[in-house]
Amino acid sequence: MSDSATLRFNNKETQLPVLTGSEGERGINIEKLRSQTGLITYDDGFGNTGSCASAITFIDGERGILRYRGYPIEELAEKSSFIEVAWLLIHGELPTEAQLRGFSGLLTEFQVLHEDMKYHFEGFPPNAHPMAILSSMINASGCYVRELTGPYDPRKFERHSARLISQVRTIAAFAYRKSRGLPIIYPKPEYKYTANFLHMMFSMPYADLDLDAAAVEALDQIFLLHADHEQNCSTSTVRMVASSRANLFASTAAGVCALWGPLHGGANQAVLEMLEKIRAAGDDGSRFIEAAKSGDGSHRLMGFGHRVYKNYDPRARIIRERCEAVLARIHRSDPLLDIAKKLEETALKDDYFLQRKLYPNVDFYSGIIMRALNIPVEMFTVMFAIGRMPGWIANFREVMDDPKGKIYRPRQIYTGSTERHYIPLGERK
Ligand code: SDX
């Protein structure tokens, strides 16, 4: 197979090297294109552009494959835990017992926020969106330890990343409590990561939450399935900010903002709102599907479609299977699950969706589980952010550890006015 591509332009031929990834995917290396030809490339939305070489996560969109550091998502979902997968993504290998014990100890050490952080929460209006609070408070929490906002130090990265993973959970729970006017519930050192989160979310000062193992396991799975996803919008944002050598907290706070958008992580909230709207209209989903096919965006089938997956998102398949199991184990039924399944069944027989290779993505069913766990819909994207934090941290580290360490600075095709000269105010029409 050729290891170069020939570009013929203006009667000149230029050889461009072709890179091959460990799974055989090929990419034309255009790092010298402009200096050799005067040309740049143009790729609106970067659908055909590799922004980096990365060893963290592999996706094959045509075959519906997702692997974290080479391990299939199906195996990790069945056999691993969110915290073990967090270590795997950040450090590249499954942790030994000693490493897992040490990591768990750091998560416990850092689970409480600096007490002064409480005053920041007081400053938000009660109806502030928790993603706005999360992004602000991640940056704020970085201010309480001087070295966190200083230059990257690989020797301290393990502690800094453990602090962030632990505190993003505490910040999220505190944001929820604040929004409901509820007293803050502090974490318990004896609880594991996800159980502690549910405790901080739903316990009361006079009564601890009765932790349901099924609920803890279901949410831990949601976090695990969201932990990384190669160069998606928010992870690319984290890498972009990290490429300027900004600190870990600033880079991941920017990732939260990118994730918030309804086309990205905000879709899980938009799916539930869509299902509620369909139910309220007495529609079994078929009317909505017809409207979604108009393509005008007003009735987009949220939770469907993906830039990379042109097949079933493997995470959606796992979450769909877990939905029924979780609902059964916590003795809940949900009419929205029936509507979601009807929408999927109808769409996957409809040429409009089949021709465009639109399948359910990770957001289509995740909200059903979170709703069953009494997590309010406005907190759904926050759950996504807690889950994605290890992936963002792993990508941040990959940027920081890159010996070339180039700042991300794309070019553009300029379409504005050509040169013109200043017109004094009195002479303007
Ligand atoms: C996530 O990148 C990642 O990896 C993201 C993520 C991760 O883990 O980080 O997987 C998480 O963000 C999942 C996606 C969540 N978003 C949604 O569910 C929102 C609904 N889906 C879409 O808006 C859309 O499918 C995107 C944004 C996900 C992908 O958009 P693309 O690749 O830019 O595709 P497109 O908008 O160019 O659509 C191609 C065609 C268009 O029709 P035509 O112009 O060809 O006629 O498909 C249509 C679109 O109108 N289309 C849809 C649709 N999604 C695309 N039509 C109806 N409903 C939809 N959901």
Side-chain angles (χ1 to χ4, degrees):
M1 195 178 298
S2 169
D3 59 6
S4 73
T6 304
L7 175 71
R8 194 169 301 110
F9 180 71
N10 278 351
N11 301 322
K12 182 188 166 201
E13 285 199 355
T14 306
Q15 291 303 314
L16 297 168
V18 173
L19 305 174
T20 303
S22 38
E23 289 285 346
E25 71 283 21
R26 321 288 307 280
I28 300 173
N29 182 338
I30 56 168
E31 287 177 305
K32 295 190 171 55
L33 178 69
R34 193 167 185 274
S35 59
Q36 288 174 340
T37 67
L39 292 167
I40 66 166
T41 59
Y42 177 75
D43 184 18
D44 183 22
F46 303 131
N48 303 282
T49 297
S51 62
C52 62
S54 177
I56 302 168
T57 291
F58 173 70
I59 298 175
D60 181 321
E62 282 68 31
R63 293 189 292 161
I65 290 173
L66 169 57
R67 299 190 197 122
Y68 293 162
R69 297 285 188 181
Y71 295 95
I73 192 66
E74 295 80 3
E75 283 185 41
L76 293 171
E78 188 188 335
K79 299 172 181 166
S80 190
S81 70
F82 173 57
I83 291 309
E84 185 176 76
V85 158
W87 179 277
L88 168 67
L89 288 167
I90 294 169
H91 299 281
E93 298 297 337
L94 289 167
T96 62
E97 280 186 64
Q99 288 168 333
L100 199 53
R101 209 171 26 254
F103 189 36
S104 183
L106 286 176
L107 294 173
T108 301
E109 179 186 344
F110 294 129
Q111 60 187 345
V112 178
L113 304 177
H114 188 291
E115 194 62 9
D116 289 352
M117 288 273 288
K118 277 196 317 190
Y119 303 113
H120 293 277
F121 285 101
E122 298 311 320
F124 289 101
N127 60 350
H129 195 288
M131 286 295 274
I133 299 175
L134 187 66
S135 175
S136 321
M137 298 301 270
I138 286 173
N139 254 322
S141 65
C143 298
Y144 287 88
V145 180
R146 192 91 193 91
E147 67 184 32
L148 292 178
T149 53
Y152 173 67
D153 180 347
R155 296 164 303 171
K156 296 180 179 164
F157 181 76
E158 185 176 338
R159 288 179 65 81
H160 293 175
S161 52
R163 174 193 290 272
L164 182 51
I165 290 173
S166 191
Q167 295 198 345
V168 68
R169 162 199 53 175
T170 308
I171 291 169
F174 284 19
Y176 167 70
R177 302 291 290 193
K178 169 81 183 63
S179 74
R180 293 296 193 279
L182 294 170
I184 274 177
I185 296 293
Y186 287 90
K188 286 179 180 275
E190 66 271 24
Y191 281 178
K192 291 286 182 204
Y193 190 87
T194 303
N196 231 338
F197 173 71
L198 290 171
H199 159 66
M200 289 190 277
M201 282 282 288
F202 300 119
S203 287
M204 293 304 277
Y206 48 82
D208 276 353
L209 174 73
D210 179 13
L211 282 168
D212 176 330
V216 174
E217 185 195 335
L219 186 57
D220 200 78
Q221 276 276 300
I222 293 283
F223 289 154
L224 185 155
L225 291 168
H226 285 76
D228 195 44
H229 213 241
E230 61 139 84
Q231 299 312 313
N232 59 84
C233 179
S234 54
T235 299
S236 300
T237 301
V238 171
R239 291 185 78 110
M240 172 73 81
V241 176
S243 75
S244 72
R245 310 297 291 178
N247 67 74
L248 175 63
F249 286 64
S251 302
T252 51
V256 170
C257 296
L259 186 71
W260 192 357
L263 294 187
H264 188 16
N268 56 20
Q269 176 173 344
V271 167
L272 252 290
E273 289 160 355
M274 171 188 77
L275 295 174
E276 290 280 23
K277 202 161 71 172
I278 290 170
R279 178 171 68 161
D283 175 8
D284 66 354
S286 37
R287 291 207 307 271
F288 191 91
I289 287 272
E290 285 313 307
K293 286 158 60 176
S294 69
D296 64 11
S298 62
H299 285 76
R300 189 148 272 222
L301 186 55
M302 300 312 277
F304 251 72
H306 199 279
R307 173 62 60 78
V308 174
Y309 288 124
K310 301 308 170 189
N311 198 324
Y312 216 103
D313 181 334
R315 301 166 297 175
R317 195 189 304 282
I318 295 167
I319 291 176
R320 184 184 193 281
E321 286 159 14
R322 289 277 192 286
C323 266
E324 270 136 335
V326 168
L327 290 173
R329 279 180 66 177
I330 55 179
H331 314 302
R332 294 275 298 266
S333 65
D334 188 345
L336 297 190
L337 176 58
D338 301 330
I339 295 174
K341 287 161 74 175
K342 170 78 177 159
L343 281 173
E344 176 187 349
E345 185 192 321
T346 309
L348 295 189
K349 286 185 208 150
D350 187 300
D351 277 348
Y352 172 92
F353 294 91
L354 294 174
Q355 280 165 9
R356 292 168 179 81
K357 298 183 178 171
L358 302 176
Y359 292 86
N361 60 52
V362 67
D363 295 306
F364 193 61
Y365 287 105
S366 57
I368 304 281
I369 290 189
M370 292 191 275
R371 196 169 113 101
L373 303 181
N374 298 317
I375 292 169
V377 68
E378 71 274 12
M379 287 289 286
F380 283 5
T381 312
V382 172
M383 298 304 106
F384 196 144
I386 294 173
R388 184 55 49 90
M389 189 55 79
W392 287 339
I393 290 170
N395 278 273
F396 171 90
R397 179 181 202 174
E398 207 169 53
V399 171
M400 288 301 182
D401 289 349
D402 178 350
K404 280 190 305 182
K406 293 175 79 171
I407 190 167
Y408 285 20
R409 204 290 185 200
R411 306 299 293 249
Q412 64 169 21
I413 295 288
Y414 176 67
T415 57
S417 303
T418 51
E419 185 178 17
R420 53 185 177 162
H421 298 287
Y422 185 78
I423 303 167
L425 184 57
E427 295 172 25
R428 293 173 206 162
K429 296 180 178 54

